[in-house]
């Protein structure tokens, strides 16, 4: 449950497939409804969602499985328009195998687009950097995020000179790596410990972080310690900006996120086994271990603490994030059912 | 009462100029004492010398010049105590018998307390353990000397009472506080009474005139140089004050003077200038972006420190040195360092290496080192004990400050000691005076630190209930004592220890608590949001509590307090009252201590992530290792002190009523 992005992508793919299907049905419906026209060249998009819904209601919806397999007797056509006047005839005339093949091809190409989007989201986001970072600003970041790195470097490219504090982000200490990379690129960076965040944040203009996942309510799951940073930022009225690609947007609502959406790592990262091997054996009266070590991996930041989301489709306020879910996910896919083993 | 401007006077050092009439040695204090004693024709000499005295009239403190008869122009704040402050009653709250040792405190009788404290050796060892830090300076000599000291104390007191009436030296406030040309200046110097500052003292007429010229010259230069200073005049005054003693007589004294004065302004311990007028503002501490000051301080420095090459711009006003460079250098000079007593030297080395850390431990180690130094001290000819000893103490203090900037607790203790030295009745012989001082120090340690800790523990354990989950940050001696005591009382609770880099002091505390049988949870400070869900109380220690209620403590404390506040968990800060200070601070930048940046780049035990090895010298990359941070008072629910459990807003009240003027009630 911790790697939410995986679930996200699965749902995205499912959504793509459904969308493809809907668009086909939509086209079919349109084709049926309309006379020969060139309106079949419109590719799968949400603006015709209502049509596809109508199509859905009028036609029996095949299961996804059936969509990808040959589904001969469905009235739906699997051929998205390729702007032909006689497309509808053509469609009707294709045999089911070719139709399903075509459908799969379409899905594959859409999935490839998705892959491309994910790979390049940070570039798109970085283009927005120049709007948010100005001269002589001091920015604080936490841990290491590739999106943030590109974001900051893009601002640097535009000749904005700013200072940077990097909190190291124990126990992974990815902040060290980020600081090294950024210093190599010419940014003025200072590495601080996580405990010094409150001390330094009074001199910071903006906090920019990358996160692990964005939840449906606008809250974020980030590296452990992020909540502390967000609280300090709110106390000092410093904007807390989250840069993220839309593939991290998860349609789930966080219930008890510290426990359910967290992952506990090895205590040895926090407390060295060699030094404390003698303490490990102590037991209290009931036989339970006397010494516990907690090493959570993630932290939940509630949406009230986040000032802004910068995504590859623009900037949004946390309370708006739930809207984007409808763009990317189908409601049927929200809960992924486990198929009973048979 | 108006401090009168002191005119330059010269007097033969052998003739005491009495500037201040000591009130009769009864407790009741009658108003501002008449500043001009009968036998004093000339008011205080060096205006700038003023220094110390302010409040308590330390007599010409620490004058190095043998000829000096500098009557420190002294402020005359109405001392709330009789001239012989040792007589003050001890209004300690009656201590209910603690499990560890039964102490029956009777007001006004030090002997009982002392004996009780010392006789129960578990106390001494308990104290040691609870500190959890190996204090290499053993407390036993102090312990052994104390009962004797205690008795001596009373004897001395008795004998000194009548004497105090005659000798005004101890209470010399030479006339009017030396409000030098610059009002602030003398104030500064006075404050210097505490810790580092080199109280100025008397000088010959020629020296005085020379000094006055120098002062004016230096004041001009300083005023120019310190454009950035908060108050140019005060700093100028300070500079002038510095200059004065500098030009006084001996070069050595000059060195110490400027060094100490310079160091006195360092952020280290600050002594609220004892001003006669309570309204005087403390002069600003030394800011390290002032080149002239830094240069001067460097020239006088005993410890050679090379400045760090990669300095964080925001902290230019704080000293930043290359760590690790002084230790071998100092070690080699161990036998050559005449001005510094070997015990003090040892303590300084321990500070540098980090063997002693923690406000209480450092303060006690320093005081005990001073006890040793006083024991070995002998007054050179032609000098008075008080002045020479104060000068020596100043030099030790500046040395320690160079090893590691003074903590606020140390600053307060030094102020106390200097005050004591200044108040020594003149009629005491040298050995008596030394014994007197040693017992004073012992008393300070036992009352203000050890006893205070007991009182704090007694108060705080009432706040621990069965089933509590208590969170603490780092390793505080007071909190550790509370937890152990509560465990002994049989309360069932869990402890969560939150630790922060780079010192990782929580691990030491963890080991000690687990060894004693408490069930503990350990986490990094990043996990505090995760852990805070199950926490019921937060106990924090402090290096100091400032007058605006800000808690000045180990870095990371502010984060913990903030998250606790967010989760509606009460935060209790446990701090002895001697650590309170008049200073105010809004954030952690204005005053702090910078540690070794290499400690950040190295992560012990995790070789796979040493990304930053060798990167400390890259020009774009800086490592910042803050030692302290300031927690705003709104995050603190309650402060547990030896004066009781008070809200953060009561701290300036305690400072004013109990800690000012070195009353130390």
């Amino acid at each position: 449950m911790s790697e939410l992005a995986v679930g996200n992508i699965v749902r995205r793919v499912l959504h793509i497939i459904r969308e493809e299907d809907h668009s086909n049905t939509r086209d079919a419906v349109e084709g049926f409804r309309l006379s020969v026209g060139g309106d079949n060249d419109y590719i799968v998009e949400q603006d015709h969602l209502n049509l596809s819904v109508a199509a859905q209601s009028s036609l029996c919806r095949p299961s996804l499985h059936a969509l990808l397999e040959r589904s001969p007797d469905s009235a739906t056509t699997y051929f998205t328009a390729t702007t032909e006047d006689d497309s509808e005839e053509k469609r009707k005339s294709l045999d089911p195998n070719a139709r399903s093949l075509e459908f799969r091809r379409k899905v594959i190409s859409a999935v490839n687009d998705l892959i491309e989007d994910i790979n390049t989201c940070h570039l798109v986001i970085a283009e927005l950097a120049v709007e948010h970072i100005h001269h002589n600003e001091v920015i604080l970041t936490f841990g290491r995020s590739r999106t943030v790195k590109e974001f900051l470097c893009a601002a640097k490219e535009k000749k904005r000179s700013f200072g940077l504090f990097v909190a190291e982000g124990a126990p992974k200490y990815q902040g060290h790596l980020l600081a090294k990379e950024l210093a190599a690129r010419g940014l003025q960076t200072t590495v601080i410990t996580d405990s010094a965040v409150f001390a330094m944040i009074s001199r910071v203009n903006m906090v920019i972080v990358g996160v692990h996942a964005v939840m449906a309510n606008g809250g974020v799951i980030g590296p452990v310690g992020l909540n502390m940073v967000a609280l300090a930022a709110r106390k000092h009225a410093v904007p807390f900006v989250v840069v993220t690609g839309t593939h991290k947007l998860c349609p789930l609502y966080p219930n008890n996120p510290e426990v359910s959406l967290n992952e506990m790592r090895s205590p040895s990262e926090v407390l060295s086994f060699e030094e404390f091997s003698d303490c490990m054996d102590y037991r209290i009266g009931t036989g339970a271990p006397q010494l516990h070590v907690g090493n959570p991996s993630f932290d939940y930041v509630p949406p009230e603490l986040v000032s802004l989301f910068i995504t590859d489709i623009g900037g949004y306020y946390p309370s708006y994030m739930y809207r984007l879910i409808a763009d990317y996910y189908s409601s049927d896919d929200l809960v992924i059912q486990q198929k009973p083993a048979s | 009462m108006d401090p009168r401007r002191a005119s330059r006077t010269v007097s033969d050092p052998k003739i005491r100029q009495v500037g201040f009439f000591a009130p009769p040695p009864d407790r009741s204090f009658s108003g501002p004492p008449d500043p001009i004693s009968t036998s004093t024709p000339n008011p205080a000499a060096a205006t700038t010398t003023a220094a110390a005295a302010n409040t308590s009239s330390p007599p010409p403190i620490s004058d190095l010049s043998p000829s000096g008869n500098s009557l420190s122009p002294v402020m005359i704040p109405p001392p709330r105590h009789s001239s012989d402050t040792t007589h003050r009653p001890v209004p300690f709250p009656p201590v209910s018998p603690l499990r560890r040792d039964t102490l029956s405190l009777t007001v006004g009788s030090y002997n009982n307390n002392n004996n009780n404290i010392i006789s129960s050796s578990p106390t001494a060892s308990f104290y040691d353990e609870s500190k959890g830090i190996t204090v290499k300076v053993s407390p036993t000599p102090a312990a052994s000397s104390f009962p004797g000291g205690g008795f001596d104390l009373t004897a001395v007191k008795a004998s000194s009472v009548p004497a105090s009436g005659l000798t005004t030296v101890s209470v010399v406030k030479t006339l009017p506080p030396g409000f030098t040309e610059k009002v602030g200046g003398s104030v500064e110097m006075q404050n210097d009474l505490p810790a580092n500052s080199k109280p100025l003292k008397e000088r010959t007429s020629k020296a005085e005139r020379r000094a006055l010229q120098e002062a004016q010259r230096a004041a001009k230069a300083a005023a120019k140089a310190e454009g950035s200073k908060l108050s140019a005049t005060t700093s100028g005054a300070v500079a002038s004050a510095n200059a004065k003693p500098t030009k006084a007589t001996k070069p050595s004294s000059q060195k110490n003077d400027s060094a100490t004065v310079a160091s006195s302004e360092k952020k280290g311990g600050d002594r609220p200038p004892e001003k006669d007028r309570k309204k005087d503002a403390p002069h600003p501490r030394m800011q390290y972006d002032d080149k002239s000051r830094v240069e001067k301080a460097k020239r006088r420095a005993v410890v050679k420190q090379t400045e760090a090459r990669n300095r964080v711009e925001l902290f230019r006003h704080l000293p930043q040195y290359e760590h690790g460079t002084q230790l071998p250098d100092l070690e080699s000079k161990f036998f050559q360092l005449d001005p510094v007593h070997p015990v003090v030297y040892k303590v300084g080395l321990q500070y540098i290496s980090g063997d002693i850390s923690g406000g209480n431990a450092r303060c006690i180690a320093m005081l005990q080192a001073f006890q040793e130094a006083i024991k070995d001290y002998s007054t050179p000819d032609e000098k008075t004990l008080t002045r020479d000893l104060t000068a020596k103490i100043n030099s030790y203090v500046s040395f320690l400050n160079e090893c590691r900037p003074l903590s606020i607790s140390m600053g307060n203790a030094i102020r106390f000691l200097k005050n004591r030295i200044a108040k020594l009745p003149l009629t005491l012989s040298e050995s008596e005076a030394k014994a007197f001082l040693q017992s004073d120090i012992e008393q300070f340690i036992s009352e203000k630190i050890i006893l205070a800790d007991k009182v704090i523990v007694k108060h705080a354990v009432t706040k621990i209930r069965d089933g509590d989950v208590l969170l603490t940050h780092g390793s505080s001696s007071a909190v550790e004592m509370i937890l152990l005591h509560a465990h002994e009382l049989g309360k069932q609770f869990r402890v969560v220890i939150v630790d922060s880099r780079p010192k990782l002091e929580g691990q030491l505390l963890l080991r000690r608590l687990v060894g004693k049988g408490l069930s503990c949870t350990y986490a990094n400070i990043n996990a505090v949001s995760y852990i805070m869900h199950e926490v019921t109380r937060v106990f924090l220690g402090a290096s100091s509590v400032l007058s605006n209620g800000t808690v000045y403590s180990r870095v990371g404390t502010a984060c913990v307090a903030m998250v606790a506040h967010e989760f509606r968990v009460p935060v209790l800060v446990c701090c002895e009252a001697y650590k309170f200070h008049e200073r105010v601070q809004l954030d952690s930048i204005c005053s702090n201590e910078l540690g070794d940046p290499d400690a950040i780049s190295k992560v012990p035990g995790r070789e796979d992530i040493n990304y930053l090895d060798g990167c400390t010298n890259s020009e774009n990359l800086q490592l910042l290792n803050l030692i302290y941070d300031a927690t705003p008072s709104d995050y603190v629910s309650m402060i547990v002190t030896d004066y009781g459990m008070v809200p953060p807003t009561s701290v300036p009240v305690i400072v004013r009523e109990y800690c000012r003027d070195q009353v130390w009630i």
Side-chain angles (χ1 to χ4, degrees):
Chain A
M1 193 46 167
S2 66
E3 200 51 68
L4 294 163
V6 173
N8 294 349
I9 301 305
V10 170
R11 294 189 187 94
R12 286 285 286 269
V13 173
L14 295 177
H15 180 74
I16 288 173
I17 296 173
R18 290 190 201 277
E19 275 300 309
E20 288 286 334
D21 177 47
H22 291 160
S23 78
N24 288 339
T25 56
R26 175 197 11 105
D27 294 334
V29 167
E30 283 180 7
F32 291 144
R33 277 212 236 123
L34 307 166
S35 53
V36 175
D39 56 343
N40 295 329
D41 45 320
Y42 214 84
I43 322 248
V44 205
E45 275 320 303
Q46 277 98 326
D47 34 324
H48 294 293
L49 202 53
N50 46 353
L51 270 177
S52 60
V53 169
Q56 234 178 336
S57 56
S58 59
L59 307 158
C60 70
R61 229 164 41 117
S63 69
L64 281 178
H65 183 78
L67 281 177
L68 291 174
E69 298 282 318
R70 161 164 197 272
S71 170
D73 45 332
S74 166
T76 59
T77 55
Y78 301 98
F79 203 57
T80 35
T82 50
T83 67
E84 308 227 51
D85 285 355
D86 51 2
S87 57
E88 61 173 306
E89 286 96 11
K90 207 178 191 177
R91 248 184 285 129
K92 282 192 217 152
S93 63
L94 283 172
D95 68 303
N97 273 338
R99 267 182 267 138
S100 107
L101 203 58
E102 203 49 46
F103 173 77
R104 267 184 270 176
R105 215 158 38 87
K106 276 296 171 190
V107 168
I108 288 171
S109 85
V111 171
N112 280 333
D113 286 342
L114 176 61
I115 294 174
E116 193 57 33
D117 280 344
I118 296 174
N119 281 333
T120 59
C121 69
H122 58 276
L123 293 177
V124 178
I125 292 171
E127 287 167 17
L128 300 173
V130 74
E131 286 177 15
H132 297 279
I133 301 179
H134 303 98
H135 273 295
N136 296 332
E137 284 203 340
V138 178
I139 296 179
L140 173 75
T141 187
F142 189 91
R144 178 170 183 267
S145 160
R146 191 182 63 161
T147 317
V148 171
K149 189 174 88 160
E150 296 302 325
F151 195 79
L152 296 174
C153 290
K156 180 88 170 63
E157 296 303 315
K158 297 283 196 302
K159 308 285 188 270
R160 299 280 164 95
S161 69
F162 55 92
L164 184 66
F165 283 107
V166 178
E168 56 184 10
K172 283 180 168 174
Y173 300 102
Q174 294 288 305
H176 289 191
L177 192 53
L178 177 69
K180 193 157 105 164
E181 292 168 356
L182 289 177
R185 294 239 215 155
L187 277 171
Q188 196 66 239
T189 49
T190 304
V191 177
I192 61 173
T193 56
D194 308 317
S195 39
V197 163
F198 190 91
M200 298 309 302
I201 203 157
S202 57
R203 295 291 190 273
V204 167
N205 296 120
M206 188 174 0
V207 178
I208 302 182
V209 295
V211 295
H212 184 71
V214 179
M215 308 310 291
N217 65 343
V220 296
I221 305 282
V224 66
L226 200 61
N227 192 30
M228 201 168 68
V229 177
L231 286 171
R234 181 181 66 175
K235 154 85 177 173
H236 290 90
V238 173
F240 187 82
V241 173
V242 175
V243 290
T244 169
T246 47
H247 62 279
K248 288 188 180 163
L249 174 61
C250 179
L252 298 178
Y253 185 86
N255 283 317
N256 202 7
E258 297 82 14
V259 176
S260 62
L261 295 175
N262 217 330
E263 182 185 87
M264 306 299 280
R265 296 166 63 90
S266 161
S268 66
E269 292 176 356
V270 171
L271 200 59
S272 157
F273 280 147
E274 297 92 41
E275 287 175 21
F276 279 84
S277 49
D278 51 333
C279 294
M280 298 295 185
D281 292 334
Y282 291 167
R283 292 279 184 270
I284 60 178
T286 62
Q290 193 183 346
L291 174 61
H292 293 265
V293 178
N295 189 8
S297 204
F298 298 116
D299 225 358
Y300 172 70
V301 179
E304 304 84 52
L305 299 179
V306 179
S307 308
L308 181 68
F309 281 101
I310 297 182
T311 68
D312 46 352
I313 51 175
Y316 296 106
Y317 195 65
S319 58
Y320 182 80
M321 297 311 278
Y322 77 99
R323 278 304 200 187
L324 299 177
I325 292 172
D327 288 351
Y328 293 113
Y329 305 105
S330 309
S331 55
D332 309 315
D333 301 326
L334 290 185
V335 180
I336 297 186
Q337 305 282 4
Q338 298 257 355
K339 259 206 164 128
S342 52
Chain B
M1 68 207 143
D2 257 20
R4 249 163 283 170
R5 194 153 283 261
S7 59
R8 309 248 146 225
T9 43
V10 178
S11 5
D12 182 11
K14 295 292 199 283
I15 301 174
R16 284 260 149 228
Q17 301 283 356
V18 175
F20 182 62
F21 200 95
D26 58 354
R27 307 299 166 62
S28 64
F29 201 79
S30 48
D34 183 342
I36 304 196
S37 89
T38 50
S39 61
T40 307
N42 351 340
T47 47
T48 45
T49 58
N54 325 8
T55 35
S56 13
S57 63
I61 309 171
S62 62
D63 64 9
L64 283 187
S65 53
S67 64
N69 72 308
S70 51
L71 295 175
S72 12
V74 164
M75 324 290 233
I76 306 128
R80 279 182 240 108
H81 46 276
S82 67
S83 61
D84 191 356
T85 53
T86 53
H87 274 283
R88 72 181 183 278
V90 180
F92 261 105
V95 178
S96 60
L98 301 179
R99 280 193 49 180
R100 195 57 77 102
D101 39 56
T102 57
L103 265 188
S104 52
L105 256 186
T106 55
V107 172
S109 64
Y110 290 151
N111 295 344
N112 293 347
N113 306 339
N114 305 332
N115 288 339
N116 280 351
I117 291 169
I118 299 311
S119 57
S120 59
S121 57
T123 312
S125 56
F126 161 76
Y127 165 75
D128 251 356
E129 273 176 51
S130 71
K131 279 205 317 273
I133 294 140
T134 52
V135 176
K136 300 197 175 93
V137 181
S138 73
T140 43
S144 57
S145 68
F146 193 62
F151 293 124
D152 276 354
L153 193 63
T154 41
V156 165
K157 282 191 225 174
S159 65
S160 66
V161 165
S164 66
L166 309 174
T167 61
T168 50
V169 171
S170 60
V171 208
V172 168
K173 292 200 175 183
T174 37
L175 311 186
F179 269 154
T180 63
E181 315 87 45
K182 314 237 170 103
V183 173
S186 60
V187 175
E188 273 46 305
M189 297 330 293
Q190 292 166 338
N191 325 346
D192 286 348
L193 157 62
N196 313 319
S197 52
K198 189 64 205 204
L200 317 188
K201 38 293 152 292
E202 61 279 66
R203 45 192 53 117
T204 63
S205 55
K206 205 193 288 184
E208 271 179 310
R209 288 194 288 273
R210 216 183 322 132
L212 180 56
Q213 285 172 353
E214 280 306 321
Q216 284 161 342
R217 239 180 288 142
K220 288 208 198 85
K224 251 192 299 177
E226 296 152 10
S228 61
K229 277 297 177 60
L230 302 177
S231 56
T233 52
T234 44
S235 38
V238 178
S240 66
N242 294 356
K244 267 210 189 158
T246 315
K247 302 302 181 261
T249 40
K250 288 192 199 150
S252 62
S253 59
Q254 290 178 13
K255 271 194 222 150
N256 282 337
D257 282 344
S258 52
T260 47
V261 170
S263 53
S264 70
E265 292 141 83
K266 284 183 200 160
K267 141 208 123 74
D270 294 31
R271 358 1 333 234
E274 295 308 3
K275 15 319 189 77
D276 2 313
R277 17 199 79 167
K278 305 198 161 92
K279 296 175 268 302
D280 294 332
H283 78 87
R285 296 172 290 285
M286 165 134 168
Q287 308 288 323
Y288 278 78
D289 43 3
D290 176 21
K291 284 246 177 303
S292 59
R293 287 287 181 79
V294 171
E295 284 309 313
K296 220 194 272 184
K298 270 208 265 200
R299 261 178 277 131
R300 313 300 171 217
V302 173
V303 180
K304 296 282 173 296
Q305 309 241 23
T306 54
E307 285 197 9
R309 268 159 288 161
N310 224 357
R311 302 174 59 137
V312 181
E313 276 307 314
L314 196 55
F315 288 95
R316 281 239 163 241
H317 61 288
L318 296 176
Q320 219 168 342
Y321 296 117
E322 294 272 340
H323 277 66
T325 49
Q326 321 98 333
L327 206 49
D329 187 42
L330 275 184
E331 280 169 2
S332 64
K333 290 208 281 187
F334 186 80
F335 294 108
Q336 305 152 17
L337 232 54
D338 289 331
V340 178
H341 191 277
V343 179
V344 175
Y345 196 74
K346 182 168 83 164
V347 168
L349 289 184
Q350 285 172 329
Y351 285 170
I352 293 182
S353 64
D355 284 342
I356 297 186
S357 78
N360 282 345
R362 287 171 70 193
C363 189
I364 288 178
M366 178 189 74
L367 285 176
Q368 287 173 338
F370 283 168
Q371 265 186 323
E372 283 288 321
I374 289 177
K375 193 167 72 157
D376 297 341
Y377 169 79
S378 61
T379 319
D381 300 333
E382 302 287 326
K383 291 203 201 171
T384 59
L385 175 104
T386 51
R387 296 176 203 145
D388 187 53
L389 184 58
T390 315
K392 251 195 156 26
I393 297 284
N394 280 335
S395 71
Y396 295 161
V397 165
S398 68
F399 168 74
L400 291 178
N401 197 25
E402 287 159 16
C403 293
R404 188 181 158 185
L406 295 185
S407 70
I408 296 183
S409 57
M410 292 166 68
N412 287 347
I414 291 168
R415 235 179 38 210
F416 161 81
L417 178 61
K418 287 202 194 164
N419 183 28
R420 279 282 176 271
I421 295 178
K423 291 225 180 93
L424 284 177
L426 263 192
T427 55
L428 288 184
S429 74
E430 180 178 317
S431 58
E432 279 178 341
K434 285 179 7 176
F436 199 81
L437 285 177
Q438 284 180 284
S439 72
D440 268 344
I441 291 179
E442 195 57 44
Q443 190 179 311
F444 181 88
I445 292 179
S446 71
E447 273 178 29
K448 292 290 158 187
I449 305 181
I450 300 183
L451 203 54
D453 278 339
K454 292 193 196 329
V455 175
I456 288 175
V457 167
K458 182 181 82 80
H459 284 307
V461 292
T462 60
K463 295 297 177 192
I464 301 180
R465 309 157 300 186
D466 281 346
D468 263 348
V469 179
L470 309 176
L471 183 136
T472 183
H473 173 258
S475 164
S476 160
S477 55
V479 173
E480 186 179 344
M481 280 193 253
I482 292 171
L483 295 174
L484 290 176
H485 187 65
H487 184 68
E488 278 170 27
L489 289 179
K491 305 203 180 201
Q492 303 295 321
F493 59 93
R494 274 204 299 132
V495 177
V496 179
I497 299 174
V498 165
D499 209 0
S500 64
R501 281 237 308 149
K503 289 203 170 186
L504 291 176
E505 294 163 329
Q507 293 188 352
L508 304 171
L509 178 67
L510 175 71
R511 191 179 284 282
R512 290 195 292 270
L513 290 183
V514 167
K516 289 284 196 323
L518 280 82
S519 75
C520 303
T521 304
Y522 179 83
N524 201 10
I525 194 170
N526 282 333
V528 68
S529 296
Y530 173 82
I531 291 278
M532 196 59 76
H533 289 281
E534 46 189 43
V535 172
T536 56
R537 299 249 194 281
V538 174
F539 279 88
L540 297 173
S543 171
S544 165
V545 182
L546 306 177
S547 274
N548 60 338
T550 307
V551 177
Y552 190 72
S553 177
R554 184 69 76 218
V555 68
T557 308
C559 287
V560 172
M562 172 185 66
V563 176
H565 182 79
E566 183 68 21
F567 284 85
R568 309 278 185 271
V569 175
V571 174
L572 288 84
V573 172
C574 309
C575 180
E576 299 85 357
Y578 85 100
K579 289 180 180 169
F580 290 175
H581 202 275
E582 268 187 2
R583 205 170 87 195
V584 293
Q585 193 171 332
L586 287 174
D587 59 19
S588 318
I589 316 277
C590 12
S591 154
N592 211 318
E593 185 183 331
L594 294 173
D596 183 9
D598 285 334
I600 302 227
S601 59
K602 295 188 188 18
V603 181
R606 305 272 301 275
E607 286 70 28
D608 52 318
I609 44 180
N610 283 337
Y611 307 117
L612 288 180
D613 269 349
C615 282
T616 40
N617 296 328
S618 149
E619 61 170 42
N620 283 331
L621 182 63
Q622 281 130 14
L623 303 172
L624 180 60
N625 184 2
L626 287 179
I627 304 284
Y628 293 110
D629 72 6
T631 306
S633 60
D634 16 332
Y635 293 149
V636 177
S637 314
M638 185 162 75
I639 302 186
V640 185
T641 75
D642 40 333
Y643 291 111
M645 297 193 274
V646 298
T649 48
S650 297
V651 169
V653 175
I654 291 180
V655 168
R656 180 196 164 99
E657 298 302 325
Y658 297 113
C659 298
R660 288 282 295 276
D661 308 339
Q662 314 314 317
V663 172
W664 301 111
I665 294 180

